[in-house]
Amino acid sequence: MSAVSESATASLRHLVLIDGSGFIFRAFHGLPPMSRSDGTPVNAVYGFTTMLLKLLNDSQADHIAVIFDSSRKTFRTDLYPEYKAHRPPPPEELVPQFPLVREAVRAFDVACIEMEGFEADDLIAAYARAATLQGAKVTIVSSDKDLMQLVGAQVSMFDPMKNRTIGPDEVFEKFGVGPDRVVDVQALCGDAADNVPGVPGIGIKTAAQLIGEYGDLETLLARAGEIKQPKRRQTLLDNAAMARLSRDLVKLRDDMDLPEPVSALAVRALVPERLAAFLAEQGFRSLINRLDLKAPPRPPVASTPVVATATEAAPAPAGFSRDQYDLVLDLDTLDRWIAAAIEAGIIGFDTETDSLDSMRARLVGVSLAVAPGRACYIPVIHNPPAAQGSLDFGDAPAESAGPKPIPADQSLARLAPLLADPSVLKVGHNIKYDMQVLASLGVPVTPIDDTMLLSYVLDGASHGHGLDELAQLHLGHTNISFAEVCGTGKSQITFDRVPLEKARDYAAEDADVTLRLHQFLKPRLLAEKMVEVYETLERPLIPVIVAMERAGLKVDRAFLQALSEDFGRRLADLEAEVIALNGGEAFNLASPQQLGKVLFETLNLPGGKKTKTGQWATGADILEDLAPLHPLPARLLDWRQLAKLKSTYTDALVAQINPATGRVHTSFSLAATTTGRLSSSDPNLQNIPIRTEEGRKIRRAFIAEPGFCLISADYSQIELRLVAHVAGIEGLRTAFAEGRDIHAITASQVFGVPLEAVDSSLRRRAKAINFGIIYGISPFGLAAQLSIPQSEAKAYIEAYFGRYPEIRAFMEQTKEEARTHGFVRTPFGRKVFTPGIKDKNGAARAFAERAAINGPIQGGAADIIKRAMVRLPAALVEAGLAARLLLQVHDELVLEAPEAEAEATIAVVRRVMEGAACLSVPLLVEAAAAASWDEAH
DNA sequence: GCGTTCACG
DNA sequence: GACGTACGTGAACGCT
């Protein structure tokens, strides 16, 4: 094998240089904590390994190297001792991973380069120069802006995290100058991250402008006296030495002796045993399986033409052959697959349909995977596009001469028993959707597992949970994209029109990947102590949600239409008034930009603030402040309210009524939020107005069927009860136990007045503080909420902490927990991840700290209502009641029940909800029944 | 596709 | 000394 490098030397055409040090940090911060069985943290090693694997698979490079920083002391620290001096030491969990990452590089038999006294960036510069001199192309894999000075005709950068190539245009976008002038700009603006001083008061914009005008740093410094702005001229004259020093710091050195010749970077054949041993040591079993290490993931370069294959589709990584994907077109074959499924006891399972809306979708096909790589697609309807040039005279699709699916009634009759077979676990990805589609056909699916939910409970918001993304992340596999199969935009076709062979590859792959992901994710539940959350809160919720979505909610169409017309008329009147108030000058009331000009430029009203993009801010709070000064802002607020209600609610809801059921069916997402809450969309029924009189009218449109009523049951103060429980606040606990008015009690205790003396204003302030606690209080936020000075808000908070000292300890402990683990846990064990908790930006860190404090509270409340939802259907059945769940709105459940059973249903609902958790404070549920949601709430 | 605004808990 | 903030969502709209 050693002969390879010699023979490849002559063919240096494309060199890939990987910024190893940059990557370790990004992988570390971008991935959830992971550790080896011996406790060594390995998340950065894992991220680095998968990244390297992907690069090796995808790139056409013939030479490759990973470059590392060697030590902190470099020629730059000699030049300027402050350089990077303020950098904190790397996090404790990262330190043991540095040597492991270098081991990873060696395990892949890739060159690993570092050199005392130089940073990785300098070595990259030197190798890039050496390679370009030999006429080769160079790709620098990094997103570090300090490397952008190297970009040029032969050199480009690639950011693998964002999958983005950085060329001269992107550099110009960043620095406002071409790559050859980047150093001059950086010399002026400095770099806070590296402690490069630059010239005080000059940022990237000014620097780019100056360099654009004068050409380069030396010319600028020589002619600094010509600068018009006196202050800028003086600082430049005063700081010329600083600018030159900064330039020397940012300019990369490429003149050192290379520690290895370029030829030593030639791509070498992989030694499977070596890689397998390394991966096994780290406990990366999924990677071993994925690579199927008997076969190397890439052939030896010596036998591979380097450039010629570039146009070919990327070969599937080893272990991902589609050879054993089967297209099932006859009953015998189907029966064999069903037998194999029963034999396996666990299958990957997926459906293909003709719509994303599960309530309207028709089943087009089903795919099953019985083992990794062994999967089939069973088409149910197939309408290939008519041949070109043929005329289509009727509704029926043109007869196709090709193979036909098994008639739908026959295939479904065979599949239904398998899907209901208690001894066969059906693993889906977002299986809620597949269960919906099959439920419409009367086919139940049980027992189930869901890889999307597994990923969600394990890794939270640290990455997305789409099948394609997880396949890439955990299996290193690129799925066939839906767009590849069905196209995009106007020419997109539905899945039933996809040619069968292509449909088979796509659909069978999804089932295959789902099963493989399950093998990887399910064992992590136990290792990461998430079994309870998944098994008691998430998985059993799926069938409950399926039933809720299918039930839908009846809305009064005529009422909403009448409301819409009323709103429409009033909007027209308001618009005319506003235009008149603007001196008859028409503008678009819905455009914040145009409104800002009207208010602060035409009418010249005071107190204008800009948003972070430099637009005039025109939010409701700003308009309210302006209301006493001019009649326009108040009219506009009225207009905004009605416009919102009309477009988002009256009109949209009418359009969302399902023609088949006459009801609206929301879609609940179980894997969308960082805290464990559900979310609702299409339409969002979790934000139906309630706070204003006009808004409440919309709620009146949500009604029950004749003979039925709507029941709304909501937890009273559930989040504050969670605070009292998790923080162990004795004062609050007692108040809750005694069933007192919690905000009044708080006011009395914090402000030190007798309960009888608490007036509405004092209670309002106490209520705001209580809410503030839930959100991770800050003086700024509380001050804004109460329109009081920050100093006063600060005093309130101090008083609160004084009266309830446990809260301070809780907040400190929670932040510490977040810093140590990267997540906090709810009382029920759910992880709420807290990215940014160690951010060097103070604002970002404070944000993460508040989110960390909110996590156990909001997340704990979400856990409790989930538990109630899981238990409720069975409790209703057991009580002989016909009520069904329709909606969940975070602390509220909405049901539809026969009028005659209203009281009995309320009793069961209250019992289940109040008994869903046993905290150190009681749970209290308020419930009522009525003809509409508005009256029931 | 992003930013702003606003509906909810 | 300035920064930029209450926590969690989704939808509509304007603008590019």
Side-chain angles (χ1 to χ4, degrees):
Chain A
M1 286 299 154
S2 59
V4 172
S5 60
E6 291 310 312
S7 64
T9 309
S11 65
L12 171 66
R13 307 179 74 147
H14 186 183
L15 168 64
V16 167
L17 295 165
I18 300 169
D19 170 16
S21 293
F23 259 104
I24 299 178
F25 282 91
R26 288 184 79 190
F28 179 75
H29 290 112
L31 286 174
M34 300 168 58
S35 48
R36 231 156 62 168
S37 52
D38 68 355
T40 312
V42 285
N43 64 333
V45 184
Y46 182 77
F48 183 88
T49 307
T50 50
M51 183 277 299
L52 190 54
L53 199 54
K54 186 167 161 27
L55 283 172
L56 290 173
N57 257 320
D58 296 353
S59 92
Q60 301 289 338
D62 43 85
H63 286 62
I64 193 162
V66 183
I67 324 280
F68 291 99
D69 290 332
S70 159
S71 65
R72 285 198 153 195
K73 203 174 134 27
T74 64
F75 72 90
R76 288 190 180 83
T77 49
D78 292 340
L79 272 175
Y80 184 59
E82 300 304 305
Y83 179 73
K84 293 193 179 179
H86 65 313
R87 290 259 179 110
E92 209 180 304
E93 298 82 13
L94 185 52
V95 174
Q97 304 194 57
F98 289 122
L100 288 177
V101 166
R102 286 168 173 78
E103 254 184 63
V105 178
R106 287 183 213 105
F108 279 98
D109 226 336
V110 167
C112 184
I113 306 283
E114 54 190 286
M115 192 176 188
E116 196 65 33
F118 293 95
E119 295 188 57
D121 292 358
D122 300 306
L123 290 160
I124 289 173
Y127 278 102
R129 195 183 73 142
T132 47
L133 285 176
Q134 294 182 43
K137 191 171 99 179
V138 176
T139 304
I140 297 168
V141 180
S142 174
S143 58
D144 188 343
K145 61 180 183 332
D146 299 341
L147 285 162
M148 289 186 179
Q149 57 183 276
L150 300 175
V151 168
Q154 285 164 263
V155 182
S156 63
M157 287 175 69
F158 176 69
D159 178 349
M161 301 265 195
K162 294 193 181 136
N163 230 342
R164 195 171 87 109
T165 301
I166 299 163
D169 290 349
E170 287 76 15
V171 174
F172 193 87
E173 206 177 293
K174 170 94 193 167
F175 284 104
V177 293
D180 52 330
R181 294 275 83 95
V182 161
V183 169
D184 303 84
V185 166
Q186 283 187 295
L188 288 171
C189 63
D191 184 350
D194 293 346
N195 227 14
V196 172
V199 176
I202 292 195
I204 201 161
K205 289 272 161 63
T206 312
Q209 185 212 322
L210 288 170
I211 294 302
E213 204 174 325
Y214 293 88
D216 62 48
L217 183 68
E218 281 308 330
T219 313
L220 170 67
L221 293 177
R223 294 171 51 194
E226 303 169 19
I227 292 173
K228 289 191 192 73
Q229 299 91 331
K231 202 159 169 213
R232 185 177 293 170
R233 180 175 60 230
Q234 200 52 46
T235 36
L236 270 172
L237 291 169
D238 292 348
N239 292 283
M242 262 317 180
R244 292 197 177 93
L245 169 67
S246 299
R247 180 192 51 201
D248 295 342
L249 289 173
V250 297
K251 172 118 182 86
L252 298 176
R253 289 262 303 265
D254 57 8
D255 57 350
M256 78 291 276
D257 291 332
L258 297 179
E260 302 269 355
V262 178
S263 61
L265 314 187
V267 171
R268 292 182 286 268
L270 204 74
V271 184
E273 299 77 20
R274 197 163 162 186
L275 182 56
F278 172 78
L279 296 176
E281 200 182 331
Q282 313 313 318
F284 298 160
R285 277 176 304 149
S286 67
L287 292 182
I288 299 180
N289 292 340
R290 179 217 289 193
L291 292 171
D292 192 12
L293 276 169
K294 288 181 288 295
R298 60 202 159 101
V301 75
S303 60
T304 311
V306 173
V307 187
T309 57
T311 53
E312 273 185 18
F320 256 104
S321 153
R322 297 188 183 101
D323 297 350
Q324 293 188 55
Y325 290 172
D326 203 358
L327 183 61
V328 179
L329 294 169
D330 64 81
L331 285 174
D332 281 351
T333 312
L334 178 57
D335 286 340
R336 280 201 299 279
W337 278 100
I338 290 175
I342 293 170
E343 171 74 21
I346 172 171
I347 57 171
F349 164 65
D350 191 30
T351 57
E352 302 303 332
T353 69
D354 60 1
S355 164
L356 278 174
D357 176 352
S358 60
M359 284 299 295
R360 294 170 197 237
R362 290 186 315 156
L363 182 68
V364 170
V366 174
S367 54
L368 311 176
V370 299
R374 274 191 68 203
C376 69
Y377 177 60
I378 307 143
V380 174
I381 4 179
H382 183 51
N383 298 317
Q388 289 244 322
S390 77
L391 295 168
D392 194 352
F393 287 109
D395 299 324
E399 272 299 306
S400 134
K404 291 192 188 49
I406 304 167
D409 52 339
Q410 292 180 31
S411 52
L412 279 179
R414 303 287 172 106
L415 284 168
L418 175 70
L419 297 178
D421 187 333
S423 70
V424 181
L425 181 67
K426 271 67 67 174
V427 182
H429 191 82
N430 189 19
I431 201 169
K432 186 194 82 174
Y433 179 86
D434 310 278
M435 290 169 71
Q436 262 336 340
V437 172
L438 287 160
S440 301
L441 298 166
V443 177
V445 182
T446 181
I448 53 162
D449 240 343
D450 190 328
T451 45
M452 190 176 80
L453 285 185
L454 284 168
S455 173
Y456 173 66
V457 300
L458 288 167
D459 295 335
S462 54
H463 53 71
H465 307 291
L467 188 64
D468 293 351
E469 185 173 346
L470 296 186
Q472 193 60 252
L473 181 68
H474 297 309
L475 309 174
H477 176 65
T478 307
N479 282 345
I480 304 172
S481 76
F482 186 79
E484 254 170 83
V485 176
C486 291
T488 54
K490 244 184 144 182
S491 59
Q492 191 174 69
I493 55 170
T494 48
F495 203 83
D496 54 304
R497 306 186 84 87
V498 174
L500 282 174
E501 310 267 303
K502 212 166 162 185
R504 172 199 62 199
D505 285 350
Y506 175 86
E509 179 179 72
D510 277 0
D512 183 14
V513 164
T514 302
L515 186 62
R516 292 181 198 237
L517 281 174
H518 185 260
Q519 290 183 346
F520 173 67
L521 294 172
K522 194 73 187 280
R524 283 183 54 199
L525 280 184
L526 195 62
E528 296 168 36
K529 301 195 168 54
M530 293 303 294
V531 174
E532 180 97 359
V533 169
Y534 177 74
E535 298 288 349
T536 69
L537 297 177
E538 301 294 330
R539 178 160 74 168
L541 195 60
I542 300 173
V544 178
I545 299 285
V546 168
M548 288 167 67
E549 291 181 0
R550 285 181 56 71
L553 214 65
K554 183 171 167 124
V555 297
D556 187 335
R557 180 196 293 264
F559 179 83
L560 279 179
Q561 281 168 339
L563 204 53
S564 171
E565 282 164 28
D566 176 42
F567 288 162
R569 279 189 296 272
R570 290 161 61 191
L571 280 168
D573 292 347
L574 283 167
E575 181 170 356
E577 277 189 64
V578 169
I579 298 303
L581 286 168
N582 187 39
E585 191 74 21
F587 70 101
N588 184 351
L589 277 63
S591 163
Q593 190 196 58
Q594 294 180 31
L595 174 63
K597 285 204 180 115
V598 166
L599 292 174
F600 302 111
E601 291 171 25
T602 310
L603 300 176
N604 241 325
L605 294 172
K609 275 192 283 193
K610 297 283 182 86
T611 67
K612 60 169 174 274
T613 51
Q615 305 275 309
W616 290 111
T618 67
D621 48 345
I622 306 264
L623 297 189
E624 274 158 27
D625 289 346
L626 294 176
L629 307 175
H630 194 279
L632 193 150
R635 302 284 81 186
L636 202 112
L637 279 169
D638 291 341
W639 184 90
R640 275 213 184 136
Q641 186 192 14
L642 291 185
K644 179 82 171 183
L645 294 176
K646 183 172 188 294
S647 69
T648 310
Y649 298 103
T650 55
D651 294 352
L653 277 172
V654 169
Q656 290 270 6
I657 297 173
N658 184 302
T661 65
R663 295 167 73 102
V664 289
H665 303 265
T666 184
S667 174
F668 286 106
S669 172
L670 291 84
T673 68
T674 53
T675 56
R677 275 188 177 180
L678 302 182
S679 77
S680 159
S681 62
D682 310 298
N684 180 355
L685 295 186
Q686 290 182 321
N687 71 346
I688 301 301
I690 193 168
R691 291 173 187 172
T692 67
E693 187 47 44
E694 292 300 334
R696 279 187 95 105
K697 289 180 182 168
I698 309 240
R699 276 197 185 221
R700 278 182 226 155
F702 288 84
I703 54 177
E705 292 289 342
F708 287 75
C709 59
L710 291 184
I711 293 173
S712 161
D714 69 287
Y715 282 107
S716 163
Q717 308 288 357
I718 188 166
E719 294 196 344
L720 204 50
R721 286 170 199 263
L722 255 303
V723 172
H725 172 78
V726 297
I729 300 172
E730 221 26 71
L732 291 181
R733 283 216 299 233
T734 317
F736 276 127
E738 293 169 356
R740 314 290 285 276
D741 176 342
I742 196 70
H743 300 313
I745 293 273
T746 305
S748 161
Q749 295 184 343
V750 171
F751 299 119
V753 299
L755 196 54
E756 315 83 68
V758 173
D759 60 6
S760 64
S761 157
L762 220 48
R763 184 178 182 280
R764 187 177 67 90
R765 277 174 276 176
K767 184 175 174 179
I769 308 176
N770 277 333
F771 270 101
I773 296 293
I774 292 167
Y775 299 148
I777 203 157
S778 73
F780 178 91
L782 184 62
Q785 181 65 37
L786 288 173
S787 307
I788 55 175
Q790 249 188 84
S791 54
E792 198 178 335
K794 206 169 168 200
Y796 287 0
I797 295 171
E798 284 306 317
Y800 194 99
F801 284 179
R803 184 59 189 78
Y804 304 124
E806 302 94 334
I807 194 76
R808 201 195 291 269
F810 161 72
M811 289 182 162
E812 287 311 315
Q813 278 163 19
T814 306
K815 288 188 271 184
E816 186 54 36
E817 183 187 353
R819 283 189 289 266
T820 320
H821 299 113
F823 58 80
V824 294
R825 280 193 191 251
T826 70
F828 307 90
R830 178 188 304 279
K831 290 178 180 174
V832 177
F833 289 84
T834 56
I837 197 76
K838 293 182 179 174
D839 203 301
K840 59 182 184 302
N841 177 326
R845 199 171 55 243
F847 184 76
E849 287 175 352
R850 291 194 297 269
I853 289 163
N854 179 255
I857 302 165
Q858 188 181 122
D863 293 340
I864 290 174
I865 198 166
K866 281 183 172 178
R867 213 137 124 187
M869 292 169 74
V870 166
R871 293 175 181 181
L872 193 52
L876 290 167
V877 169
E878 199 181 324
L881 297 169
R884 52 184 185 166
L885 261 174
L886 305 183
L887 288 183
Q888 187 250 48
V889 192
H890 310 308
D891 64 354
E892 174 190 9
L893 295 177
V894 178
L895 297 91
E896 190 170 30
E899 271 171 6
E901 295 178 4
E903 288 313 308
T905 304
I906 286 177
V908 171
V909 171
R910 286 194 60 168
R911 175 168 56 78
V912 171
M913 287 175 74
E914 290 179 352
C918 188
L919 307 180
S920 56
V921 289
L923 292 174
L924 179 69
V925 169
E926 289 165 350
S932 79
W933 192 7
D934 179 41
E935 301 158 275
H937 194 85

